[in-house]
Amino acid sequence: DGSLTKLEGELDQLSAQIGTKEQEISDTGVALEQAKETENKQYADMKLRIKYMYEQGKTSYIDMLFQSADMVQLMNRAEYINKISDYDRKKMDEYEETRQTIADEEQKLKTDREALLTMQEPVRTLRAQKNKEMQNYASQIDTAQGQVDQYNADLSAQENKIKQIEAEIRRKEEEERKKAEAARKAEEEA
């Protein structure tokens, strides 16, 4: 009984851990979907920017610099080109970071699923083992019940034999009594 209680406690603990792991997998799936949405938006934004630059970019950045009228305009254009490059690099870095996040989340999801399967296997094994033990106990109980039924049948048969013997003894005693009484009457009449 104590081992059964301990087993139930272990099963409850494993079930709680499995529930926690399933929640982690669910959370990871949500985070993965959000990261994929972010990646798709970033990709669409970059595509639009490149398309715009291609359609509008009749002049290159170097041409812009050489077409400057004076030093102030040259410096302003250089700063503008630098800001555009920084912005493009930042957006590209964000895109790469998002792609890495997706890869990390997918790996975490795979690892969590494997961990869940690993956690579930001992529970299955333990349940199968305990089910087999319960079947063995049930078989032992059935065997013991069969023995009890046989003992009861034997006892009933013995009681019936005893009743038959007692009836036979009473019959013989009655016969003896009748013989003795008949013999006494015969002596009295004689």
Side-chain angles (χ1 to χ4, degrees):
D1 189 36
S3 65
L4 185 58
T5 303
K6 181 181 176 189
L7 173 63
E8 287 175 356
E10 289 174 8
L11 285 174
D12 288 345
Q13 184 181 10
L14 282 172
S15 293
Q17 289 174 353
I18 288 170
T20 300
K21 190 54 73 177
E22 287 174 341
Q23 183 59 46
E24 288 176 13
I25 289 172
S26 176
D27 293 346
T28 300
V30 169
L32 181 60
E33 287 303 313
Q34 290 173 345
K36 284 183 177 181
E37 287 175 14
T38 301
E39 176 195 27
N40 290 338
K41 183 175 181 338
Q42 288 173 337
Y43 181 76
D45 290 347
M46 285 177 30
K47 206 164 90 171
L48 183 63
R49 169 103 171 95
I50 290 169
K51 180 181 175 187
Y52 177 78
M53 287 174 56
Y54 178 76
E55 289 174 354
Q56 300 299 320
K58 295 187 173 52
T59 60
S60 69
Y61 291 139
I62 293 184
D63 288 340
M64 273 180 57
L65 291 175
F66 285 135
Q67 291 173 1
S68 299
D70 56 27
M71 196 57 140
V72 172
Q73 191 178 30
L74 175 71
M75 295 304 282
N76 285 341
R77 286 183 176 177
E79 185 178 339
Y80 174 73
I81 291 170
N82 192 31
K83 285 182 181 179
I84 290 175
S85 293
D86 287 347
Y87 176 81
D88 289 345
R89 184 172 319 283
K90 178 183 168 194
K91 289 299 175 186
M92 187 59 142
D93 289 345
E94 286 175 4
Y95 179 72
E96 287 301 319
E97 184 179 315
T98 301
R99 290 182 55 86
Q100 185 60 46
T101 299
I102 290 171
D104 293 346
E105 292 295 330
E106 285 176 340
Q107 183 59 40
K108 183 178 184 314
L109 193 59
K110 180 181 175 189
T111 303
D112 285 349
R113 284 187 177 138
E114 289 170 359
L116 179 62
L117 292 176
T118 302
M119 290 169 72
Q120 288 175 335
E121 190 56 36
V123 172
R124 284 191 199 110
T125 303
L126 195 54
R127 282 190 179 143
Q129 178 185 359
K130 292 308 169 186
N131 283 339
K132 186 175 180 181
E133 287 178 18
M134 294 297 282
Q135 289 172 350
N136 287 339
Y137 291 141
S139 176
Q140 290 173 359
I141 289 169
D142 289 344
T143 301
Q145 186 62 48
Q147 290 173 344
V148 166
D149 292 344
Q150 183 62 44
Y151 292 145
N152 286 336
D154 290 346
L155 183 60
S156 182
Q158 291 296 326
E159 287 174 350
N160 285 339
K161 276 187 177 182
I162 290 171
K163 286 178 184 177
Q164 287 175 356
I165 291 172
E166 287 175 346
E168 183 66 24
I169 289 172
R170 283 192 300 271
R171 187 186 62 78
K172 284 186 181 186
E173 286 175 349
E174 186 63 29
E175 279 180 20
E176 288 294 320
R177 188 184 62 73
K178 283 183 183 180
K179 278 183 189 179
E181 194 174 309
R184 187 178 55 82
K185 274 190 182 181
E187 267 182 38
E188 286 179 9
E189 289 182 10

